[in-house]
């Protein structure tokens, strides 16, 4: 949810991971992939690099300004990714692309997924996606996209994954404690009654009864033992968030503080962005004495994962739980501080970090009191909107441009004419690209009225 307005956020994570792995492969393999990419993607390499900067780790892409925004950019992006996937997949080495939590994927990522799946010239791609059907209704973008894919005669196999049966829970527990499944039925029955077979609950419940000594390894008898009455008497939370809250509240205060700050960034964050956030002053005001050490502690406790320089909550419910530790009245303060920390390191920000920065500042904008800071945030939203347009990501572009327009409304057109004009023109184009023509007419009429007033004012001057 936190990243839904970052263009291509869902798909870039997967291909960035791929590029990082390929960059460290054998010289021969890397040469083969480079050759294939150059031959297949050739003219569109600059377009691909504009959307996927990590491609530079695999192949040298000459610095080149990519022409075209709006619908032209949208079609070029889709074409560039199609060619890229054709280049890195073959019948000898097919590509498997797995994306989790599709219910939160940004619209352009879903469009790209459909484009890749329906590419009839590529028979070597297997796409696997997962989503929570209870969060997706008939009007959801993902549902619309799935119907569109099926209408193009692409076979989709749907697998509904529910809770584990008691037999599977018994197998899991037997394997976890290396004890015969014949001997673990009493423990399984107790765990199943508390968790109903929800895999996340099962694993967390097992950890909690271990920590509390209800499940323990007996050195005397050299085997695992458990106390059923104590397990049965243990209170269990009604949902995953409450379960994780109980666990987090047992952590040291500085670890809780670090998790609260980290949760403001969503489910994951690159180490380089975290370094920028923690490099300045003021973090002690949020109770963090050593952010990185606290994150390491959280990794050891099984709440976070660290891979390829990215810290990530192992489950989105853990992120939600950590975020709920922050009082509602303080959340804007957290987001504004994080945004300011990143913006203070403007020169070191990557294009992706710009979206993180503007996202944080937008969440804390109600606390901004200085006029120059408001203008900077307007410019940031304009920059994020224009970048989204260059990627053909019209929904995020509209989101950022709307945010900029809402802020610039506190200034008259006379005070900030050029800023108003750029915002409204870009917003009109974004709405045109999504087919909202009535809205386009309203925006254009507003521009024409304001332009006429500006000309009259100039004549009077």
């Amino acid at each position: 949810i936190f990243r839904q307005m970052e263009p291509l956020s869902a798909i870039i994570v997967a291909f960035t991971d791929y590029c990082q792995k390929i960059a460290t492969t054998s010289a021969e393999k890397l040469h083969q992939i480079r050759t294939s990419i150059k031959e297949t993607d050739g003219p569109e390499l600059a377009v691909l690099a504009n959307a996927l900067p990590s491609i530079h780790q695999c192949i040298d892409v000459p610095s080149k300004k990519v022409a075209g925004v709006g619908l032209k950019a949208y079609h070029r992006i889709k074409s560039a990714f199609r060619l890229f996937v054709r280049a890195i997949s073959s019948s000898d080495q097919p590509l498997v692309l797995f994306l989790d939590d599709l219910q939160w994927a940004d619209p352009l990522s879903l469009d790209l997924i459909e484009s890749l799946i329906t590419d009839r010239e590529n028979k070597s791609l297997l796409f696997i996606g997962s989503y929570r059907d209870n969060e997706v209704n008939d009007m959801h973008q993902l549902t619309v996209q799935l119907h569109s894919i099926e209408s193009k005669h692409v076979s989709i196999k749907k697998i509904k994954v529910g809770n584990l049966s008691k037999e599977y829970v018994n197998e899991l527990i037997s394997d976890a404690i290396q004890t015969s499944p014949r001997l673990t039925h009493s423990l399984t029955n107790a765990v199943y009654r508390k968790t109903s077979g929800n895999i996340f609950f099962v694993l967390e419940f097992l950890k909690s009864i271990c920590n509390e000594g209800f499940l323990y390894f007996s050195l005397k008898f050299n085997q695992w033992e458990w106390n059923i009455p104590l397990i049965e008497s243990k209170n269990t939370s009604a949902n995953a968030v409450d379960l994780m809250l109980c666990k987090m509240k047992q952590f040291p205060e500085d670890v809780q503080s670090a998790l609260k700050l980290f949760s403001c960034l969503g489910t994951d964050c690159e180490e380089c962005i975290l370094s920028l956030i923690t490099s300045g002053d003021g973090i002690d005001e949020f109770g963090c004495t050593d952010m990185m050490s606290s994150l390491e502690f959280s990794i050891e406790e099984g709440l976070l994962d660290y891979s390829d320089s990215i810290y990530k909550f192992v489950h989105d419910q853990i992120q939600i739980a950590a975020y709920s530790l922050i009082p509602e009245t303080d959340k804007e303060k957290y987001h504004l501080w994080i945004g300011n920390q990143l913006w203070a390191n403007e020169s070191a920000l990557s294009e992706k970090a710009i979206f993180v920065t503007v996202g944080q500042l937008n969440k804390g904008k109600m606390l901004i009191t200085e006029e120059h800071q408001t203008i900077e945030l307007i410019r940031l939203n304009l920059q994020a909107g224009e970048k989204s347009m260059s990627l053909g990501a019209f929904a995020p572009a509209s989101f950022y441009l709307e945010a900029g327009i809402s802020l610039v409304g506190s200034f008259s057109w006379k005070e900030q004419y050029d800023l108003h004009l750029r915002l409204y023109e870009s917003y009109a184009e974004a709405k045109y690209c999504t087919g909202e023509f009535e809205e386009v007419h309203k925006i254009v009429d507003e521009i024409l009225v304001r332009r006429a007033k500006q000309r009259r004012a100039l004549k009077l001057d």
Side-chain angles (χ1 to χ4, degrees), residues 71 426-437 439-440 443:
L71 291 173
S426 297
Y427 187 50
E429 184 175 9
K431 290 300 182 183
Y432 175 82
C433 291
T434 55
E436 297 174 67
F437 301 120
E439 188 66 22
V440 173
I443 301 164

Side-chain angles (χ1 to χ4, degrees), residues 29-46:
K29 176 72 175 174
L30 184 58
H31 176 71
Q32 289 176 351
I33 291 172
R34 279 176 176 166
T35 302
S36 180
I37 292 172
K38 281 182 178 178
E39 290 176 351
T40 309
D41 227 331
E44 298 299 319
L45 268 177

Side-chain angles (χ1 to χ4, degrees), residues 218-235:
S218 171
L219 294 174
K220 181 179 179 180
F221 298 106
N222 198 34
Q223 64 181 22
W224 283 90
E225 296 185 350
W226 46 90
N227 189 317
I228 294 298
L230 287 175
I231 293 173
E232 294 280 14
S233 67
K234 181 175 169 60
N235 291 325

Side-chain angles (χ1 to χ4, degrees), residues 92-326:
D92 295 332
Q93 194 162 21
L95 181 70
V96 179
L97 174 60
F98 171 72
L99 294 178
D100 195 9
D101 288 323
L102 287 178
Q103 73 275 8
W104 294 336
D106 61 282
L108 183 55
S109 286
L110 292 176
D111 272 352
L112 261 181
I113 290 165
E114 178 179 347
S115 176
L116 296 176
I117 293 172
T118 56
D119 183 6
R120 299 195 179 280
E121 293 187 37
N122 188 357
K123 306 294 184 183
S124 303
L125 169 68
L126 171 64
F127 176 77
I128 304 172
S130 66
Y131 65 94
R132 294 179 190 155
D133 55 4
N134 63 317
E135 295 184 25
V136 175
N137 58 28
D138 291 341
M139 303 300 293
H140 194 282
Q141 179 70 24
L142 177 59
T143 306
V144 174
Q145 218 83 40
L146 289 172
H147 288 327
S148 177
I149 292 169
E150 288 175 318
S151 71
K152 295 173 182 174
H153 308 293
V154 174
S155 175
I156 298 177
K157 185 173 181 62
K158 297 178 181 178
I159 304 171
K160 189 172 180 64
V161 180
N163 291 341
L164 298 179
S165 67
K166 190 183 291 185
E167 290 71 28
Y168 285 137
V169 173
N170 192 50
E171 286 183 30
L172 185 152
I173 291 174
S174 167
D175 185 62
I177 64 175
Q178 294 294 288
T179 302
S180 169
R182 292 182 298 104
L183 303 175
T184 56
H185 283 297
S186 62
L187 175 58
T188 296
N189 289 337
V191 171
Y192 195 80
R193 277 194 291 272
K194 294 289 185 180
T195 65
S196 301
N198 180 299
I199 183 62
F200 183 73
F201 277 119
V202 169
L203 295 175
E204 289 301 322
F205 189 75
L206 286 172
K207 290 176 189 175
S208 67
I209 61 176
C210 255
N211 290 336
E212 294 176 42
F214 303 164
L215 171 63
Y216 58 93
F217 188 80
S218 171
L219 294 174
K220 181 179 179 180
F221 298 106
N222 198 34
Q223 64 181 22
W224 283 90
E225 296 185 350
W226 46 90
N227 189 317
I228 294 298
L230 287 175
I231 293 173
E232 294 280 14
S233 67
K234 181 175 169 60
N235 291 325
T236 53
S237 302
N239 56 61
V241 173
D242 289 340
L243 180 68
M244 297 315 302
L245 272 174
C246 291
K247 182 172 183 175
M248 288 179 195
K249 286 176 179 177
Q250 297 173 16
F251 291 166
E253 287 291 333
D254 58 334
V255 174
Q256 291 186 48
S257 298
L259 286 171
K260 287 192 284 187
L261 264 179
F262 185 70
S263 71
C264 291
L265 294 157
T267 55
D268 61 83
C269 185
E270 295 174 2
E271 188 174 13
C272 59
I273 293 178
L274 278 175
S275 297
L276 293 176
I277 293 169
T278 57
S279 62
D281 298 327
I283 195 168
D284 53 321
E285 292 181 23
F286 297 92
C288 287
T289 54
D290 190 336
M291 180 83 167
M292 307 316 285
S293 294
S294 294
L295 295 184
E296 290 300 322
F297 177 92
S298 301
I299 291 171
E300 291 171 9
E301 289 293 322
L303 270 65
L304 297 181
D305 186 25
Y306 178 77
S307 177
D308 298 320
S309 299
I310 296 175
Y311 287 91
K312 182 178 183 179
F313 282 106
V314 297
H315 197 284
D316 64 270
Q317 295 297 305
I318 301 175
Q319 184 268 334
I320 293 169
Y323 192 61
S324 71
L325 286 171
I326 307 172

Side-chain angles (χ1 to χ4, degrees), residues 1-17:
I1 294 174
F2 280 65
R3 294 289 179 84
Q4 217 164 8
M5 283 305 156
E6 287 181 33
L8 291 171
S9 57
I11 210 162
I12 282 178
V13 170
F15 282 109
T16 295
D17 185 51

Side-chain angles (χ1 to χ4, degrees), residues 69-81:
V69 292
L71 291 173
K72 182 178 180 181
Y74 170 75
H75 291 301
R76 288 191 73 184
I77 287 286
K78 289 209 297 187
S79 173
F81 268 95

